[in-house]
């Protein structure tokens, strides 16, 4: 006789067997071992000898004492049906009462209004954790936005709009000058003349031109065969001619208000001063590599040279003022730029800036110097990715870290233009973030500005671009505010600067014996 379906109440030790195919309902014998030790749940209608337990009551009893995990297996053979119920008897650890369950709120006022919330938290405490995580993420997001916006320019700014494009005749524009006179450039094939708007005025083709230098209002073209120098005015008319004398013309450069011809001879290197008519006046001859120079007059000038040794090298700065000659040596440093201002010499090397006066020396450390210029009675130095200015006492007066990085820079009417790769950023005086930003699709080789027009030099063409109002922008990066009181330059130079001022007050040229 088939057993009726057993309810899934679980109890350890239950083993139900049909003794020789007889069941309790049939009145067959049941051994002691086969007796049910705990109440067995059967459907109503079974013999009254077996206690009847309600299904719901049995489920509640089992769920309180044992976990829900169970395994039921059945084996069947001819005439015999066996049901084996195996229970997982792992002890159930009672969970500690949650703190939220102990919170009792008053029945009136705020407690009454917060009652539903407390009830919800009591039923599902994970809600509080979720809201806490969301709040933490929101705080982190706000902090990141604040950090990213540090040193960025957001809001009104100016950008550049191309108004004219001038193409060269070759793939490389080698030298260029853009001024109120117009656009002039040399592309290794033609000496080109355009007006300020990019309209062609004249092209000079001279296959013998080797290098061209634009200085002040004149153009100096060096013949690569004879080393002769032809001088042109801004209209392309010949204004002078200088015989090279067989010497290799290395560079024609400006030094203050003077034009200096740097030539290499068999015995060393020579600097000559050239007037507007092309007359050369010897300045200095050295058996060393001449690196840089500056002049206040033909009797007051400074020259930087490189001296090689068996071990290492050194740079030497030679100052000549009338009959006085003074040398300054810098071991294992290369002089990049020299500025002569009254009785003060400023030497920029690859590692330091020096302020030299008589026997005194003040030093400020800089690294990876890319460019240095003298403007507005200050030294502007691009070192690493930092554009910094120093006053005459070498105290830092401004510092900015361009958001776009940096390759080089120029100044025009108080604006610092920095370019790198395909981007240009312009910084107005006292501005911490770029007030001008422009991005192009080509690699920038050089930039020059006149008024509100910026000439952007690429490999084979020049874009004349006008400053216009731009859309709100966000340029990532960091800047350093102007703070001369906390700069290392001031810390290093204050005491020495006072010594130098005391040594030669009011810039007077006095010979003193004082230590820096």
């Amino acid at each position: 006789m088939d057993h009726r379906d057993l309810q899934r109440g679980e109890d350890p030790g239950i083993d139900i067997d049909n003794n020789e195919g007889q069941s309790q309902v049939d009145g067959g014998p049941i051994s002691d071992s086969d007796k049910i030790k705990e109440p067995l749940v059967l459907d109503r209608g079974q013999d009254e000898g077996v206690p009847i337990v309600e299904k719901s009551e049995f489920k509640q009893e089992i769920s309180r004492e044992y976990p829900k995990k169970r395994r039921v297996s059945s084996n069947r053979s001819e005439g015999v049906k066996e049901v084996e119920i195996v229970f997982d008897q792992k002890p159930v650890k009672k969970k500690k009462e949650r703190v939220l369950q102990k919170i009792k709120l008053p029945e009136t006022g705020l407690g009454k209004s917060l009652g539903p919330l407390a009830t919800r938290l009591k039923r599902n405490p994970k809600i509080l954790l979720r809201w806490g995580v969301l709040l933490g993420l929101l705080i982190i997001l706000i902090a990141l936005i604040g950090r990213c916006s540090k040193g960025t320019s957001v809001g009104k700014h100016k950008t550049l709009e191309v108004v004219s494009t001038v193409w060269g005749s070759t793939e490389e524009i080698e030298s260029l000058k853009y001024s109120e006179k117009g656009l002039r450039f040399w592309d290794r094939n033609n000496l080109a003349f355009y007006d300020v708007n990019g309209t062609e005025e004249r092209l000079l083709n001279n296959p013998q031109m080797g290098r061209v230098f634009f200085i002040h209002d004149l153009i100096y073209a060096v013949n690569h065969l004879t080393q002769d120098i032809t001088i042109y005015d801004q209209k392309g008319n010949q204004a002078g001619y200088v015989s090279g004398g067989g010497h290799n013309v290395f560079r024609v450069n400006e030094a203050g208000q003077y034009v200096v011809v740097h030539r290499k001879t068999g015995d060393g290197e020579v600097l000559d001063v050239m007037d507007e008519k092309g007359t050369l006046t010897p300045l200095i001859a050295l058996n060393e590599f001449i690196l840089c120079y500056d002049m206040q007059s033909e009797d007051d000038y400074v020259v930087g040279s490189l001296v090689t040794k068996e071990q290492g090298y050194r740079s030497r700065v030679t100052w000549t003022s009338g009959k006085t000659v003074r040398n300054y040596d810098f071991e294992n440093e290369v002089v990049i730029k020299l500025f002569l201002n009254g009785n003060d010499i400023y030497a920029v090397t690859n590692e330091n800036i020096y302020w030299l006066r008589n026997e005194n020396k003040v030093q400020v450390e800089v690294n990876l110097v890319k460019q240095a210029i003298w403007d507005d009675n200050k030294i502007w130095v691009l070192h690493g990715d930092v554009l910094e200015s120093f006053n005459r006492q070498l105290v830092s007066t401004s510092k900015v870290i361009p958001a776009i990085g940096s390759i080089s820079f120029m100044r025009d009417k108080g604006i610092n233009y920095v370019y790198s790769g395909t981007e240009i950023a312009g910084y107005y005086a006292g501005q911490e973030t770029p007030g001008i930003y422009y991005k192009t699709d080509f690699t920038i080789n050089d930039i020059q500005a006149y008024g509100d027009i910026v000439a952007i030099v690429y490999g084979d063409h020049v874009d004349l671009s006008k400053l216009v109002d731009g859309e709100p922008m966000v340029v990532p990066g960091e800047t350093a505010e102007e703070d001369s009181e906390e700069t290392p330059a001031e810390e290093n130079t204050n005491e020495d600067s006072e010594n130098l001022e005391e040594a030669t007050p009011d810039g007077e040229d006095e010979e003193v014996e004082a230590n820096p």
Side-chain angles (χ1 to χ4, degrees):
M1 179 178 179
D2 295 334
H3 289 292
R4 294 175 182 262
D5 295 333
L6 294 176
Q7 301 299 324
R8 294 194 179 215
E10 301 180 1
D11 193 2
I14 296 180
D15 188 7
I16 304 176
D17 293 327
N18 291 332
N19 190 15
E20 296 179 359
Q22 296 181 359
S23 66
Q24 184 181 6
V25 179
D26 295 334
I30 299 176
S31 63
D32 294 339
S33 62
D34 295 329
K35 292 180 181 181
I36 300 176
K37 299 176 183 179
E38 295 293 332
L40 179 65
V41 181
L42 300 176
D43 289 340
R44 294 183 181 275
Q46 296 293 335
D47 293 344
E48 297 179 356
V50 180
I52 303 301
V53 181
E54 290 293 337
K55 298 179 181 179
S56 60
E57 294 176 358
F58 188 74
K59 288 183 177 180
Q60 293 176 4
E61 182 68 17
I62 296 301
S63 63
R64 283 195 299 270
E65 295 299 327
Y66 303 97
K68 294 181 180 180
K69 185 178 179 181
R70 54 188 173 272
R71 185 177 72 254
V72 179
S73 62
S74 62
N75 298 321
R76 298 183 180 180
S77 59
E78 290 186 9
V80 178
K81 293 183 178 180
E82 295 181 357
V83 179
E84 180 182 5
I85 303 177
V86 180
F87 298 91
D88 190 349
Q89 302 185 31
K90 293 180 180 179
V92 179
K93 294 182 180 180
K94 294 184 178 181
K95 296 182 178 180
K96 295 181 180 180
E97 294 185 359
R98 300 183 183 275
V99 177
L100 292 172
Q101 295 177 354
K102 297 180 181 180
I103 298 177
K104 293 184 179 180
L105 298 173
E107 298 295 332
T108 58
L110 181 62
K112 185 176 180 180
S113 57
L114 293 177
L117 178 60
T119 302
R120 187 175 179 185
L121 292 175
K122 181 177 179 180
R123 292 178 179 176
N124 190 2
K126 292 184 178 180
I127 294 178
L128 185 61
L129 177 61
R130 293 171 184 170
W131 280 105
V133 171
L134 290 176
L135 181 60
L137 291 176
L138 181 61
I139 293 174
I140 294 174
L141 181 61
I142 293 174
L144 288 175
I145 292 175
R147 183 173 182 179
C148 290
S149 63
K150 181 181 179 182
T152 58
S153 176
V154 182
K156 293 182 178 180
H157 74 291
K158 288 186 177 295
T159 187
L160 295 173
E161 182 180 89
V162 178
V163 295
S164 178
T165 299
V166 177
W167 293 88
S169 60
T170 63
E171 296 183 355
E172 182 178 358
I173 295 176
E174 186 175 275
S175 57
L176 172 143
K177 184 172 183 179
Y178 184 64
S179 66
E180 71 279 3
K181 303 293 184 179
L183 175 66
R184 313 288 188 250
F185 66 82
W186 163 249
D187 63 4
R188 294 188 177 183
N189 187 29
N190 292 321
L191 180 58
F193 296 80
Y194 291 80
D195 65 14
V196 292
N197 298 317
T199 302
E200 181 180 325
E201 295 179 337
R202 188 174 184 181
L203 292 178
L204 291 180
N205 180 273
N206 187 343
Q208 295 183 349
M209 285 186 186
R211 283 170 295 167
V212 176
F213 303 91
F214 300 90
I215 302 173
H216 302 150
D217 290 334
L218 296 175
I219 303 169
Y220 300 84
V222 180
N223 187 307
H224 69 90
L225 297 177
T226 63
Q227 298 298 302
D228 296 339
I229 302 174
T230 303
I231 305 173
Y232 297 94
D233 62 16
Q234 288 294 322
K235 298 295 184 180
N237 301 317
Q238 183 171 330
Y241 180 85
V242 180
S243 173
H247 299 304
N248 179 21
V249 177
F250 180 70
R251 186 185 301 274
V252 180
N253 203 359
E254 70 175 295
Q257 298 299 318
Y258 294 86
V259 177
V260 177
V261 179
H262 180 186
R263 297 183 298 160
K264 294 182 179 293
T265 66
D267 298 330
E269 300 189 6
V270 177
L271 296 180
D272 295 323
V273 178
M274 177 189 292
D275 61 18
E276 294 183 355
K277 297 181 180 180
T279 303
L280 296 178
T281 302
L283 186 67
I284 191 173
L286 297 174
N287 293 325
E288 303 164 358
F289 299 102
I290 296 178
L291 301 175
C292 50
Y293 35 87
D294 195 16
M295 292 181 61
Q296 293 186 129
S297 70
E298 295 185 19
D299 295 325
D300 190 1
Y301 56 91
V302 61
V303 178
S305 59
L306 184 67
V307 181
T308 59
K309 303 183 299 181
E310 293 182 0
Q311 296 180 349
Y313 55 89
R314 72 170 180 265
S315 290
R316 170 169 291 175
V317 173
T318 302
W319 177 44
T320 301
S321 179
K323 296 181 180 181
T324 302
V325 178
R326 182 172 284 114
N327 292 320
Y328 303 89
D329 289 340
F330 306 98
E331 294 294 332
N332 298 319
E333 293 185 54
V334 178
V335 175
I336 298 173
K337 201 76 173 180
L338 289 172
F339 305 106
L340 190 56
N341 186 274
N343 295 319
D344 296 326
I345 303 169
Y346 298 92
V348 182
T349 75
N350 58 320
E351 297 180 0
N352 296 282
I353 304 175
Y354 295 96
W355 174 23
L356 310 172
R357 180 185 290 182
N358 298 323
E359 299 297 332
N360 298 281
K361 181 190 300 184
V362 175
Q363 173 183 350
V364 174
E365 182 179 354
V366 291
N367 289 308
L368 301 175
V369 175
K370 300 177 181 178
Q371 189 178 359
I373 63 174
W374 179 278
D375 186 60
D376 194 22
N377 211 28
K378 297 178 183 177
I379 302 174
W380 299 82
V381 181
L382 182 63
H383 57 100
D385 282 329
V386 179
L387 178 59
E388 191 170 5
S389 65
F390 299 88
N391 63 15
R392 293 179 58 182
Q393 288 73 41
L394 292 192
V395 176
S396 177
T397 57
S398 68
K399 181 189 295 184
V400 64
I401 303 176
I404 63 172
S406 60
I407 292 178
S408 186
F409 81 102
M410 68 155 295
R411 282 179 54 81
D412 180 70
K413 294 179 174 59
I415 305 174
N416 293 315
Y417 291 93
V418 181
Y419 66 91
S420 177
T422 59
E423 296 176 284
I424 298 174
Y427 294 84
Y428 292 95
Q431 194 177 46
E432 302 172 5
T433 54
I436 302 170
Y437 177 73
Y438 178 69
K439 183 174 177 60
T440 181
D441 296 328
F442 305 98
T443 301
I444 300 171
N445 293 340
D446 190 15
I447 58 173
Q448 294 189 22
Y450 167 68
D452 60 350
I453 300 294
V454 178
I456 307 173
V457 185
Y458 304 103
D460 55 359
H461 68 282
V462 180
D463 279 345
L464 300 180
S465 304
K466 185 176 182 179
L467 284 172
V468 296
D469 293 332
E471 298 295 330
M473 69 172 180
V474 177
V475 180
E478 296 183 359
T479 60
E481 299 180 1
E482 294 189 10
D483 192 355
S484 60
E485 294 182 358
E486 298 180 0
T487 57
E490 183 179 13
E491 295 175 2
N492 293 335
T493 61
N494 276 344
E495 183 178 353
D496 293 334
S497 300
E498 293 175 359
N499 292 339
L500 284 179
E501 293 297 339
E502 293 175 359
T504 53
D506 299 329
E508 296 178 3
D509 186 10
E510 296 181 6
E511 293 290 337
V512 297
E513 296 296 333
N515 293 324

